[in-house]
Amino acid sequence: MEREARRGEAETVRAVTRWYDENARDLPWRRPGATPWAVLVSEFMLQQTPVERVREPWARWLERWPTPAALADSPSGEAVRAWGRLGYPRRALRLHGAAVAIAERFGGEVPADLDDLRSLPGVGSYTAAAVASFAFGRRAVVLDTNVRRVIGRVAIGEAYPGTSPTRAETAVAEAYLPDEPAVAARWAVASMELGAVVCTARRPRCEGCPVPERCAWRRAGYPEWSGPPRRGQTYEGTDRQCRGALLAVLRSSDSPVGPEELEAAWPEPVQRERALASLVADGLVVGPAPEDGGDEVRWALPGGRGAGTSAP
Ligand code: SF4
């Protein structure tokens, strides 16, 4: 019985990696010349942003900061500025922090070891496994939402994974992981791609799937999700949108910004103040800096041009 299960897992891996060989999207961070730093940057950017919105900022970022040391030498505010409209800008500060840690503790080279990777700011279990696997070809269980959905459907027969991986789910994923590191790395990227383009959350395209006969969810007739309600992400009118609008003003300015410019970007005062306070608390914005001899206050990106200075 167990041997049969192992054989089924191995066949799934073979079919999915073969499918990947013929269908993989050409993503620049997957090309052979991509450095571990380029892969790490892509993983930070892709954490909450779709692939198509990441391509250009990723290329610009690496042109400007081709190594961790280059980014570590720049003020963190410049990282926030260059992050642009990728969203969730705390990632920019964490990526800057990771670059500083790599420069200081790892001689400027992105480490390959899982524990070393996890010791970097902003690098959790998923990102560490992804970098170890994609950049260094190591054997690691890479569990992003796409992989979790594929494994959940194929092996467990559930439409969607829970909020975070359980031990049981991780054990199932480990059972699929091939012994050979290079094959394991191929499986990691292939299963992720399958979830991203075929076995999607809303409309799986089972007719294009390489493992339809192995899919427990399909065999069971696609039972409906019985877990907690899945909420769609709303953005309009949220504090997140407000934070984005305020940050856009600061990014586009070479000098500290006063209250009237922020008010023009987001007129609603209570939410604006709350969002501003949270940006300051997160270290994405510095201020307010009282103007010399006056009571006007101004804000700026951290360590960037004009940060920490009084208004002219
Ligand atoms: S058969 Fe359909 S639901 Fe099952 S893994 Fe393939 S695409 Fe996903």
Side-chain angles (χ1 to χ4, degrees), residues 19 23 194 198 204-212:
W19 168 86
N23 296 279
L194 186 68
V198 173
R205 294 192 299 104
C206 304
E207 68 284 359
C209 178
V211 286

Side-chain angles (χ1 to χ4, degrees), residues 153-154 198-199 204-206 209 212 215 217-218 222:
R153 288 175 177 176
V154 171
V198 173
C199 192
R205 294 192 299 104
C206 304
C209 178
C215 176
W217 188 51
R218 179 174 176 270
Y222 304 106

Side-chain angles (χ1 to χ4, degrees), residues 239-261:
D239 279 12
R240 197 158 80 74
Q241 187 187 22
C242 179
R243 283 165 56 104
L246 301 180
L247 262 188
V249 175
L250 290 159
R251 274 198 309 267
S252 63
S253 172
D254 279 342
S255 54
V257 165
E260 60 295 331
E261 288 154 280

Side-chain angles (χ1 to χ4, degrees), residues 187-212:
W187 159 248
V189 72
S191 52
M192 187 178 290
E193 186 77 343
L194 186 68
V197 302
V198 173
C199 192
T200 57
R202 293 219 181 112
R203 269 191 218 128
R205 294 192 299 104
C206 304
E207 68 284 359
C209 178
V211 286

